[in-house]
Amino acid sequence: MSNPAVNPKPVPEINAHSKPYWDGAQRGELMIQRCRGTGKPFMYARCWSPFDFSPDPIWEKASGLGTVFSYTVVYQPPYAAFKADCPFVMAIIQLDEGPQMMSNVLNCDPESVRIGMKVKVCFETRGNGFKIPQFEPA
Amino acid sequence: MKPLAAIVAVSEMKPGRYPNYNGMEMYRQVIAQFLREWPQLRPSDIGGLLSAPAGMASADGTDVFAHEKISEELGIEPTFSETINAGGGTYALMLIRASLAIERGLCDSVLCLGAGRFPNVGSGMAEMMSKLISHPEFEYPYGTYIPPIFALNATRHMHEFGTTREQLAQVAVSQREWSLLHPDALMAPQGRLTIDKVLSSRPITYPFNLLDCSVPSEGGSAVLVVSPKIAQRYAKKPCFLYGYGEKHTHSSISQAHDLTTLGSKDTSAQAYRMAGVGPKDMDFAQLYDSFSINPIIYAEDLGLCAKGQGGAFFAGGRTAPGGEFPVNTYGGLMSFGHVGDASGQTMIVEAARQIMGIAGEARQLKKADLGVVHCYGGMMSEHATLVLGSAS
């Protein structure tokens, strides 16, 4: 990013059911959901539990700690908005709570990222000051 | 073995770029070629019709009413017809659906059609594709696109089993060898590959270089499936369907339960069980290969080798022409061409040609009595395995 003030990378279209996730991110908190029936945590935001269909899953703040489950170093950007970031890391992060999520791994040499690397959540500011959860080496 | 359905006629367009054809016109080209190659067919021979959405992933929009428009132009009133979509898995699912419809007596024959496009990326198309192939809210913001998504499977496979980049490269090398034997293969004019050529091609997304990736193009194909009872009327040596399996495991790659054992393990087990055969009975395999990692994982999941041994399975040209076990005998998506989702049907067309004995002198296998086809759609999300063979 040459100029963070005009970070051209995409921001998500937020849905009603997922608003607590993105509201949390704006506060600097990574939110996950927990099933009211089984007590098991999950990602991504859903209106019901995928374990037992119990409604209205509980939102709670995650530890923000996780491990790189798999990764790739992207040399060819998907489109112009990511050109300045190349090479960048795209990774599946396994949260300490169990669920997995997509992320980039920021604030390190992309080629130093490895499976099993401990990471912690950070937040990247995009257009209009919108924050999205990201990860960096712990 | 009990035949469930029979493939009696197949046809495929040469993969390439067809900028003057929209989605429906691609279908017309596919059908016109099919009718040229099988001139004895009449409208009354087509009792059912399955198509994929026309113009999928193209700027001019996707038509999910393709089946009714095609039927009208063919002059048929099918008693079983729909437009279905499971990406590259669509066409194996068509064969399964056709088989079920024929078995239940809804119709005696089903024409399965695919016309795939892989658009040149530009003016927002890449962003649109990204939202389509990954979670639009929770994955898309991280710059997801197709090659890095599959690279996640590859990196994990290398981590768990010690699979090497040379082994990945060998998949591309062997498939290029097969493509040299196919008159329509897109990459054949480029000549042979070596592991070094693959490893020194442009890095795309670790561990994939350019030559680890399939070749985006456009094309399409047609497959006529009929009841085993009437198969002999159409073909001296039909290609019979003996078993199949289907499973849909996830949509977003980050939500897959496993990156190295996929739905293909269950779908192949089901297909073998239904056919009453095992992987050791297979004479060849066609394994959907968007990227060099895919056939490695499928060879393992389909029981052609042990889990973790997929890299070694391809080593030294074992799957290339003249090797011990032929895989992707037409060059695969990587060297024949990746004609969008219709690539799933390319594999069925090739398997049928091998079993029907019409693959042409250059690449016709000496023994092609039983073969296994594995297709997937989405980000290795929608899996389907077919066991196909000659008369038992």
Side-chain angles (χ1 to χ4, degrees):
Chain A
M1 293 160 274
S2 50
N3 181 359
V6 287
N7 187 333
K9 291 188 287 179
V11 294
E13 287 169 33
I14 300 166
N15 289 290
H17 78 282
S18 58
K19 192 167 178 294
Y21 179 84
W22 296 110
D23 286 348
Q26 306 322 302
R27 298 191 303 268
E29 294 178 350
L30 179 67
M31 304 297 286
I32 57 172
Q33 280 178 300
R34 195 174 287 279
C35 163
R36 286 185 189 273
T38 65
K40 282 159 57 179
F42 61 86
M43 291 272 253
Y44 299 115
R46 287 176 175 86
C47 298
W48 51 81
S49 162
F51 304 119
D52 65 359
F53 294 164
S54 59
D56 192 22
I58 300 160
W59 281 103
E60 62 184 39
K61 185 185 170 188
S63 68
L65 300 174
T67 306
V68 174
F69 183 75
S70 196
Y71 74 97
T72 178
V73 183
V74 182
Y75 295 96
Q76 176 174 299
Y79 39 87
F82 281 88
K83 202 170 174 185
D85 284 31
C86 277
F88 69 92
V89 174
M90 209 182 93
I92 295 176
I93 307 298
Q94 178 152 40
L95 301 179
D96 282 5
E97 288 84 356
Q100 293 185 341
M101 63 180 283
M102 187 67 80
S103 183
N104 302 126
V105 180
L106 306 180
N107 306 325
C108 64
D109 171 8
E111 295 184 353
S112 72
V113 171
R114 293 289 178 272
I115 288 174
M117 182 188 258
K118 298 288 181 195
V119 289
K120 63 180 194 312
V121 75
C122 59
F123 293 87
E124 181 189 4
T125 304
R126 297 202 172 170
N128 291 328
F130 190 83
K131 292 188 180 72
I132 72 160
Q134 288 280 21
F135 283 82
E136 62 185 3
Chain B
M1 286 193 301
K2 181 178 177 284
L4 306 166
I7 297 172
V8 292
V10 298
S11 170
E12 173 134 23
M13 273 175 87
K14 186 179 169 68
R17 288 289 182 186
Y18 297 97
N20 298 328
Y21 301 157
N22 63 20
M24 277 302 296
E25 192 64 19
M26 287 292 287
Y27 270 122
R28 293 185 191 104
Q29 297 298 323
V30 166
I31 294 164
Q33 181 175 336
F34 178 69
L35 297 177
R36 277 197 303 275
E37 291 181 20
W38 302 91
Q40 68 276 34
L41 293 175
R42 294 293 174 269
S44 57
D45 292 310
I46 302 168
L49 185 135
L50 295 172
S51 62
M56 203 146 61
S58 68
D60 49 348
T62 300
D63 188 347
V64 296
F65 291 103
H67 62 290
E68 62 178 48
K69 290 172 181 156
I70 295 166
S71 291
E72 182 175 271
E73 292 195 24
L74 282 168
I76 62 172
E77 295 182 0
T79 53
F80 169 70
S81 185
E82 59 186 324
T83 290
I84 67 171
N85 177 39
T90 301
Y91 306 89
L93 299 192
M94 283 184 184
L95 212 53
I96 296 172
R97 307 286 184 273
S99 162
L100 290 167
I102 289 168
E103 189 189 321
R104 295 301 297 166
L106 301 183
C107 53
D108 277 339
S109 64
V110 181
L111 181 60
C112 301
L113 296 169
R117 314 193 79 185
F118 227 108
N120 278 318
V121 162
S123 64
M125 283 302 289
E127 287 89 335
M128 189 211 80
M129 279 293 282
S130 175
K131 285 184 205 170
L132 196 65
I133 55 92
S134 58
H135 197 296
E137 191 173 346
F138 296 103
E139 294 188 330
Y140 162 66
Y142 300 102
T144 46
Y145 72 113
I146 296 173
I149 287 176
F150 286 86
L152 295 169
N153 296 77
T155 312
R156 188 72 202 178
H157 201 275
M158 294 166 81
H159 172 79
E160 287 183 22
F161 305 116
T163 305
T164 65
R165 295 191 67 183
E166 287 74 14
Q167 289 173 329
L168 293 172
Q170 179 65 52
V171 174
V173 171
S174 296
Q175 300 197 162
R176 180 62 61 84
E177 294 293 314
W178 280 114
S179 78
L180 300 177
L181 307 177
H182 196 302
D184 289 343
L186 199 61
M187 296 305 279
Q190 310 283 322
R192 303 182 67 174
L193 277 181
T194 61
I195 288 176
D196 282 347
K197 271 190 192 171
V198 180
L199 296 181
S200 60
S201 61
R202 181 162 59 88
I204 302 294
T205 183
Y206 176 84
F208 297 149
N209 287 3
L210 183 66
L211 293 170
D212 285 290
C213 307
S214 54
V215 190
S217 63
E218 297 161 2
S221 56
V223 169
L224 182 62
V225 185
V226 306
S227 163
K229 290 180 197 135
I230 60 167
Q232 293 292 332
R233 201 190 293 170
Y234 294 93
K236 262 186 288 192
K237 198 181 177 204
C239 166
F240 292 103
L241 173 68
Y242 288 108
Y244 53 78
E246 168 181 344
K247 189 169 186 177
H248 308 259
T249 55
H250 60 273
S251 175
S252 321
I253 193 68
S254 61
Q255 302 308 300
H257 290 303
D258 197 327
L259 293 179
T260 55
T261 295
L262 306 173
S264 32
K265 188 172 163 50
D266 292 342
T267 58
S268 58
Q270 187 192 321
Y272 292 140
R273 194 164 53 239
M274 193 183 291
V277 297
K280 287 193 170 53
D281 300 313
M282 298 300 122
D283 296 320
F284 67 87
Q286 314 291 353
L287 308 174
Y288 205 90
D289 57 315
S290 300
F291 298 92
S292 52
I293 186 63
N294 307 28
I296 289 177
I297 294 177
Y298 294 133
E300 297 169 356
D301 281 357
L302 269 60
L304 303 171
C305 63
K307 183 45 74 181
Q309 295 301 304
F313 180 77
F314 285 87
R318 280 190 73 250
T319 67
E324 289 162 58
F325 188 83
V327 173
N328 292 349
T329 53
Y330 63 105
L333 282 66
M334 295 175 74
S335 271
F336 175 80
H338 189 166
V339 293
D341 61 292
S343 290
Q345 191 153 267
T346 309
M347 320 191 75
I348 296 168
V349 167
E350 174 66 9
R353 281 179 173 154
Q354 290 290 350
I355 289 164
M356 294 168 79
I358 56 170
E361 209 175 311
R363 67 179 201 285
Q364 178 65 52
L365 300 172
K366 284 194 183 69
K367 189 171 185 298
D369 296 331
L370 264 180
V372 63
V373 175
H374 187 81
C375 308
Y376 69 82
M379 301 300 104
M380 295 210 245
S381 316
E382 317 203 63
H383 292 270
T385 308
L386 306 172
V387 173
L388 300 168
S390 50
S392 57

